[in-house]
Amino acid sequence: QVQLVESGGGLVQPGGSLRLSCVASGFNLDAHAIAWFRQAPGKEREGVGCFSTSDGNTYYLDSVRGRFTISRDAAKNTFYLQLNNLKPEDTAIYYCATDRSRFCGPRTWFQERFITYWGQGTQITVSS
C-alpha cells in the first residue's frame, strides 16, 4: 500500500522547535522530489519547501527560509522538516508530499499539480 505517514506535530511556544517526520511505504522516495505544504486556518494550502532529488537543490517559502530545513534518510525511506524559531504565523496543518518526478524547480516547486502522494497532515500550533 502506497502511503505517507506523518508524525511530530504539536503545541510549541514561540521561538521553539519541532521536527516533523514523513515515512513512505509502498514506494521508493528516491524516485521523487519531496515537499512540505501547510494550510493555516482560513487560508489556502501553500508550499513550504521542496527538495529536488535529481539535483540536490532545495527551495523554501520566503517566510520560512533560514528557519526550516528539509532533510531525508534514504535508508529509512523517511524525510523530515526541521522547524526552528517558530512563530505564531507558522500555526497550520503541515502536509508532506512527493512530486511525480525527482525534480522540483524554482518556478514550480510550490505547485500542487505535480504532487502524487500526500501525507495525512499534522497540526502545529505556535502559541504562548
Side-chain angles (χ1 to χ4, degrees):
Q1 182 181 2
V2 173
Q3 61 178 353
L4 295 173
V5 179
E6 299 180 48
S7 61
L11 173 65
V12 62
Q13 292 186 343
S17 297
L18 283 174
R19 189 178 78 158
L20 303 183
S21 300
C22 185
V23 180
S25 59
F27 68 102
N28 189 343
L29 267 181
D30 194 53
H32 301 268
I34 55 179
W36 291 90
F37 289 77
R38 69 183 181 185
Q39 187 167 22
K43 295 186 177 181
E44 293 187 354
R45 188 159 55 190
E46 64 179 353
V48 173
C50 183
F51 173 78
S52 183
T53 303
S54 62
D55 57 19
N57 289 320
T58 309
Y59 304 96
Y60 294 100
L61 182 68
D62 286 347
S63 62
V64 309
R65 188 176 296 111
R67 300 188 296 122
F68 292 6
T69 304
I70 295 174
S71 62
R72 64 174 185 161
D73 185 332
K76 296 182 178 179
N77 217 31
T78 299
F79 60 106
Y80 307 94
L81 181 66
Q82 178 69 41
L83 306 93
N84 296 330
N85 190 21
L86 281 159
K87 303 176 181 181
E89 52 264 42
D90 295 319
T91 295
I93 299 173
Y94 284 72
Y95 299 89
C96 61
T98 55
D99 193 279
R100 64 185 181 186
S101 76
R102 302 181 78 239
F103 174 80
C104 55
R107 288 183 291 275
T108 60
W109 68 266
F110 47 87
Q111 295 181 11
E112 295 190 20
R113 61 192 176 101
F114 297 116
I115 298 301
T116 52
Y117 305 127
W118 291 94
Q120 81 278 15
T122 187
Q123 175 73 46
I124 291 179
T125 302
V126 185
S127 175
S128 55

